[in-house]
Structures are given as C-alpha cells and as structure tokens.
Amino acid sequence: MSSAASSADQEMPAIAAAAGAKRIEFDDPHAGIGGLQEAEVSRVRTLRGGWRWALIAATAITILLCITSNSRCGFFIGYTQLNTEYFYLLIALMLPFTFLIFPNSEKSPLDRVPGTTSCFFALTFISAIVLMRHVRKAARPAGNSAARRTL
C-alpha cells in the first residue's frame, strides 16, 4: 500500500471529526422496542391437555413415518406408500396443528382452543386424508382400452 493512500485514510477520520460528523450506528432490528416482543412470539397458543397429547402423538407418528419411508420398512409389512401418499399423510398429521398453535386474529384467546379453530383443524385433517386416499387411484392408468393400447 502506498504512503499516499495510507495518509489519505488517516486524514478522512480527522476531517470528519473536524466537521462535527458523528459516527453512524444502526439499531438492531431484532431487539425488542420498549420491552415488546415480536408478534410471532407473543401470539402463540400453548397447547394443554388432549391437544398437547395429540400433538405429541402426531409428532411420534411423523417420526416413525420418516424412518419407515427412508429405511424401506414398507417392504416388510407388505405395503409401500407412494411419495404423494406419504406427503399427504405428513400434511394431515402436522398442518392442522398450525391452526391450534397460531391464532388467526388478535382477538383469539391464547388460553383455550375455540370451536372454530377445532373445525379448521378437523377440515384440514380430513381433506388431507381424502387426498391421500385418492392419490393412488389418480396414479393408476386410465381404465379404457384405448389408453391401455397407447401405454
């Protein structure tokens, strides 16, 4: 590095200090402002009782499904799931809990699960199971003879 460049670097802070410029400091965008928490953290419902045990059971089943899918244990029980069946089953087990854990509005209670939330939970679970049950039919070739000849 040349001596001219290094002397210019040393002169810049001296010039800025002489002009009365302050050092620029940026606030941490993740720091709490006035003791407030972020909305994502403060609007979480703690599950209790049966809902908590349902989440624990669904998590355990999900882990077992992942182990079964990755280790090919389906060959030992005589049934192998399609990838889409596996994904729909994971969705059926995990997605409905989103409605339970994260309330849909600021007015939703955090100490209990309202009936509408339970309905969303049930509709999500049932729709994923229905999709899972019908995906094998969609994967089969068409039933008419013209389609069989082209395959």
Side-chain angles (χ1 to χ4, degrees), residues 10 24 59:
Q10 293 172 358
I24 298 173
T59 303

mmCIF file of all heavy atoms in Angstrom, residues 10 24 59:
data_model
loop_
_atom_site.group_PDB
_atom_site.id
_atom_site.type_symbol
_atom_site.label_atom_id
_atom_site.label_comp_id
_atom_site.label_asym_id
_atom_site.label_seq_id
_atom_site.Cartn_x
_atom_site.Cartn_y
_atom_site.Cartn_z
ATOM 1 N N GLN A 10 -5.918 8.137 6.848
ATOM 2 C CA GLN A 10 -5.785 8.719 8.180
ATOM 3 C C GLN A 10 -6.383 10.114 8.246
ATOM 4 O O GLN A 10 -6.867 10.544 9.279
ATOM 5 C CB GLN A 10 -4.314 8.759 8.600
ATOM 6 C CG GLN A 10 -3.730 7.386 8.817
ATOM 7 C CD GLN A 10 -2.235 7.435 9.041
ATOM 8 O OE1 GLN A 10 -1.620 8.498 8.991
ATOM 9 N NE2 GLN A 10 -1.648 6.275 9.300
ATOM 10 N N ILE A 24 -21.981 6.814 12.702
ATOM 11 C CA ILE A 24 -23.307 6.279 12.408
ATOM 12 C C ILE A 24 -23.420 4.907 13.044
ATOM 13 O O ILE A 24 -22.600 4.029 12.811
ATOM 14 C CB ILE A 24 -23.543 6.181 10.892
ATOM 15 C CG1 ILE A 24 -23.480 7.557 10.269
ATOM 16 C CG2 ILE A 24 -24.884 5.512 10.610
ATOM 17 C CD1 ILE A 24 -23.540 7.535 8.757
ATOM 18 N N THR A 59 -46.531 -36.099 16.335
ATOM 19 C CA THR A 59 -45.087 -35.945 16.120
ATOM 20 C C THR A 59 -44.392 -37.303 16.127
ATOM 21 O O THR A 59 -43.526 -37.581 15.283
ATOM 22 C CB THR A 59 -44.486 -35.025 17.200
ATOM 23 O OG1 THR A 59 -45.170 -33.770 17.174
ATOM 24 C CG2 THR A 59 -43.014 -34.798 16.964
#
